[in-house]
Amino acid sequence: MIVDTLIHNATIVTVDSDFTIIPCGFVAIDGGRIVRVAPVPATGFTAAIETIDARGALLLPGLVNTHSHLPMTLFRGLADDLPLDVWLNSHIFPVEARFINPETVHYGTLLGCMEMLLSGTTTCCDGYFLEDHVAGAVFESGIRAVLGQGVIDFPAPGVPDPSKNIAEAVGFIDKWKDKTDRITPSLFCHSPYTCSLETLKKASRAALTKKVLFQIHVAETKAETNQCLKINGLRPIQYLDSHGLLTENTLLSHCVWVDAADIEIMARRRAGVSHNPQSNMKLASGIAPVTSFLDCGINTGLGTDGCASNNDLDMFQEMGSAARLHKVHDLDPVVMDARTVLEMATIGGARAIGLDHEIGSIEPGKQADLIVIDLSSPHLTPMYNPASHLVYAVKGSDVRDVFVAGEPLVRHHDLVKLDAEKIMQHVCAIAKTIMIS
């Protein structure tokens, strides 16, 4: 059999249901999908159009970032060391109103795609304004993404009239629904405190009708939870559930301030969760009870959040932070072990955003979204346990090759499709206008 691509001699971490690790194996790719995974020698394949020797490297599924705001790469480091409400209302919302436009969104998104691809992320779940321009940049990059048009109850970039926010989101969904199999449109309501109940209900109905993911920030801070209790007499999760807004097509981002009753509701409704430990730590939002989510069978993935509240999109750093944070919080070195965290960054994230039938593990029939990790650096020598290595030692800069649907997007640490120098020059020019304003 002749295949498009054969990657061989790698240590393969499949992240399948048995967490199979093949010490020296090969992956055969044809038509953008994985057709075979097995130990070397690669018998049964007489030839491949391209053969890649991954000797001395790790091969694993591409990482899945379940929560991002890609254009916010433009605001990296702009307003650090502030409480969430001050950071958002006094800095981020005002600068977005002045500087977010089709051009800035385009280049901010391209920068985010560059950063993710170079650090091993092959799929992201994004929510922002002017998402049509986000989608255009994502399409240009070749990365896979679930993209949600932002909905909020005050004038926003691209939607100066809030009464048209749902219509704008539906228009975005209709435009991108069947345009390319690498982009899945979605709908992103900012939060229960920036969207009225009427808006939340309309948005949820639209998402259900269009059969797309309904994303929302929820229970991120103690102040948000207290405000919801004061106004509605219910905690945020209970408030959403009381109005039928939690379904298996819902992705809840953050979920820091939730209690046992909330978690039971989340599990019963089969809603997914995006855990963003570094953003939560940096904004002092708190520590989400992720071990309880996992114990209750809630589909939970990892996310970086935007660069304005995290400062980078490196999912390897996110994995390391998640593992260490919950160990020290629970005073238990056993919780959030390397396998659990790696699954959250791959197949768990894929489940949370509804793409686990296509991505998240290395198995025949799935999309060939793969990354190769170079193990030749001193900080990766020696290696005893591949999963432990990936969570506690590997850095995003160790990613050598990246494939999405079998297409090479990073080869030998260099981007294949994107012009990094040109994109960064544009972003630096935009940053200068922000600095002098």
Side-chain angles (χ1 to χ4, degrees):
M1 177 182 178
I2 300 175
V3 297
D4 293 334
T5 308
L6 194 68
I7 306 174
H8 66 116
N9 294 328
T11 297
I12 304 174
V13 183
T14 65
V15 200
D16 62 9
S17 58
D18 296 321
F19 206 78
T20 304
I21 296 176
I22 303 173
C24 184
F26 72 91
V27 173
I29 303 165
D30 201 60
R33 293 187 179 270
I34 299 165
V35 295
R36 191 175 174 195
V37 184
V40 168
T43 57
F45 293 94
T46 56
I49 296 172
E50 181 179 20
T51 300
I52 298 170
D53 190 346
R55 190 183 310 274
L58 285 172
L59 179 65
L60 66 147
L63 305 182
V64 179
N65 183 344
T66 57
H67 188 56
S68 67
H69 309 296
L70 291 177
M72 296 185 83
T73 54
L74 300 173
F75 309 140
R76 192 193 316 265
L78 181 67
D80 286 341
D81 307 320
L82 295 168
L84 176 61
D85 57 342
V86 176
W87 171 81
L88 192 61
N89 293 306
S90 299
H91 297 272
I92 298 304
F93 283 160
V95 79
E96 284 178 331
R98 295 186 62 188
F99 294 103
I100 288 300
N101 57 57
E103 181 188 16
T104 60
V105 164
H106 178 78
Y107 282 104
T109 300
L110 285 177
L111 181 65
C113 291
M114 285 171 44
E115 184 179 351
M116 288 191 296
L117 287 169
L118 288 168
S119 58
T121 292
T122 54
T123 299
C124 72
C125 184
D126 188 74
Y128 204 64
F129 308 112
L130 292 168
E131 198 72 8
D132 183 48
H133 296 280
V134 172
V138 165
F139 181 75
E140 182 180 337
S141 77
I143 202 168
R144 191 181 304 281
V146 175
L147 303 177
Q149 168 63 29
V151 171
I152 200 165
D153 274 341
F154 53 78
V159 192
D161 182 356
S163 68
K164 298 180 180 179
N165 53 19
I166 306 299
E168 185 74 20
V170 170
F172 168 76
I173 292 167
D174 288 341
K175 178 176 180 178
W176 288 93
K177 189 72 184 283
D178 299 308
K179 194 166 186 177
T180 167
D181 60 4
R182 293 197 202 179
I183 293 178
T184 304
S186 172
L187 192 152
F188 166 56
C189 272
H190 180 266
S191 66
Y193 60 88
T194 54
C195 295
S196 68
L197 179 58
E198 180 184 5
T199 296
L200 291 170
K201 286 182 174 180
K202 287 181 179 179
S204 178
R205 282 197 299 268
L208 287 170
T209 299
K210 297 294 182 179
K211 297 181 180 179
V212 299
L213 193 68
F214 175 62
Q215 304 180 52
I216 188 167
H217 295 131
V218 64
E220 184 174 358
T221 66
K222 186 177 182 179
E224 174 196 340
T225 299
N226 289 340
Q227 180 187 43
C228 192
L229 278 165
K230 182 178 180 179
I231 296 173
N232 304 301
L234 295 168
R235 300 170 65 84
I237 293 292
Q238 296 164 16
Y239 170 67
L240 295 177
D241 187 57
S242 70
H243 295 288
L245 302 176
L246 298 184
T247 74
E248 62 184 352
N249 292 320
T250 304
L251 179 69
L252 306 169
S253 295
H254 298 291
C255 296
V256 176
W257 291 89
V258 294
D259 62 13
D262 295 328
I263 294 170
E264 190 278 328
I265 291 170
M266 293 156 61
R268 178 158 33 91
R269 301 303 184 201
R270 298 174 64 192
V273 171
S274 175
H275 178 41
N276 301 255
Q278 290 193 154
S279 178
N280 294 341
M281 285 191 286
K282 185 163 176 277
L283 291 170
S285 299
I287 301 173
V290 172
T291 53
S292 295
F293 297 162
L294 297 172
D295 289 343
C296 291
I298 295 172
N299 291 329
T300 306
L302 284 177
T304 58
D305 210 345
C307 281
S309 63
N310 182 328
N311 297 54
D312 68 61
L313 300 172
D314 187 341
M315 283 287 288
F316 283 101
Q317 288 197 41
E318 209 70 40
M319 281 195 284
S321 294
R324 294 175 176 93
L325 173 66
H326 294 282
K327 292 177 190 300
V328 71
H329 179 260
D330 292 1
L331 298 179
D332 184 353
V334 174
V335 302
M336 295 290 277
D337 60 276
R339 171 176 173 172
T340 296
V341 175
L342 182 58
E343 287 176 336
M344 288 174 65
T346 52
I347 191 64
R351 289 193 192 103
I353 62 174
L355 291 182
D356 54 301
H357 62 294
E358 289 278 43
I359 61 169
S361 60
I362 301 180
E363 299 179 82
K366 286 198 170 184
Q367 295 276 356
D369 292 8
L370 307 168
I371 61 176
V372 177
I373 307 297
D374 184 351
L375 296 176
S376 63
S377 297
H379 69 277
L380 297 179
T381 306
M383 181 180 74
Y384 300 107
N385 182 316
S388 173
H389 236 46
L390 288 165
V391 172
Y392 298 117
V394 170
K395 308 175 190 299
S397 56
D398 297 317
V399 175
R400 190 189 83 182
D401 303 310
V402 175
F403 302 84
V404 175
E407 179 185 9
L409 298 181
V410 175
R411 294 302 308 272
H412 303 291
H413 304 280
D414 290 327
L415 291 156
V416 174
K417 297 181 70 170
L418 297 177
D419 185 333
E421 184 176 354
K422 177 183 175 182
I423 292 166
M424 288 190 290
Q425 284 177 350
H426 274 278
V427 169
C428 287
I430 293 167
K432 286 181 180 179
T433 66
I434 295 173
M435 288 174 63
I436 64 176
S437 64

